[in-house]
Amino acid sequence: MFKFKKPNQHGVWSMIVLPIAFGIAVGGFSFLHLLLYLGVLAVYFMSDQVFFYLKKRKKQKGYLYTAGIFFIVVLISFIPIVILRPETFLHIFTYDTIVTS
């Protein structure tokens, strides 16, 4: 039922690890960094499973089930960040940051 294929883009790992590592080095460590890292990894794995499903000629729904599990992990890891630090995401939706930047 569930199908997981390991991603084969080896360069992505540095793009996932380094920004969070630099953020921890500059701003100090918080448990929210662990949630952020878990969420970013889950988004990466989820998108890969969806892309594997779309690329296959014979569609195997196991990839979508696995992507659904990763989506649940994304929600579980990002919701506490949004609740505890809403300023991290609210500036995306404000008009002032677009005009002043």
Side-chain angles (χ1 to χ4, degrees):
M1 183 172 195
F2 296 102
K3 191 158 182 87
F4 179 76
K5 184 171 185 312
K6 187 179 83 161
N8 59 357
Q9 294 98 1
H10 60 277
V12 171
W13 295 107
S14 62
M15 291 187 288
I16 291 174
V17 172
L18 288 179
I20 296 174
F22 286 143
I24 291 171
V26 171
F29 179 76
S30 168
F31 80 95
L32 293 175
H33 288 109
L34 294 176
L35 290 175
L36 178 67
Y37 186 65
L38 177 68
V40 168
L41 279 178
V43 165
Y44 172 59
F45 285 131
M46 179 186 68
S47 65
D48 254 6
Q49 299 308 307
V50 171
F51 290 143
F52 285 139
Y53 174 77
L54 293 174
K55 285 195 300 187
K56 294 288 182 185
R57 197 174 278 274
K58 182 182 173 191
K59 305 294 185 197
Q60 298 175 354
K61 294 194 184 229
Y63 290 126
L64 292 180
Y65 291 127
T66 309
I69 290 174
F70 283 122
F71 181 71
I72 292 169
V73 172
V74 168
L75 288 178
I76 290 171
S77 60
F78 281 163
I79 286 176
I81 297 173
V82 172
I83 290 172
L84 296 173
R85 299 289 303 265
E87 67 273 7
T88 19
F89 293 98
L90 289 178
H91 75 279
I92 296 171
F93 303 109
T94 58
Y95 181 71
D96 294 337
T97 57
I98 298 170
V99 172
T100 56
S101 48

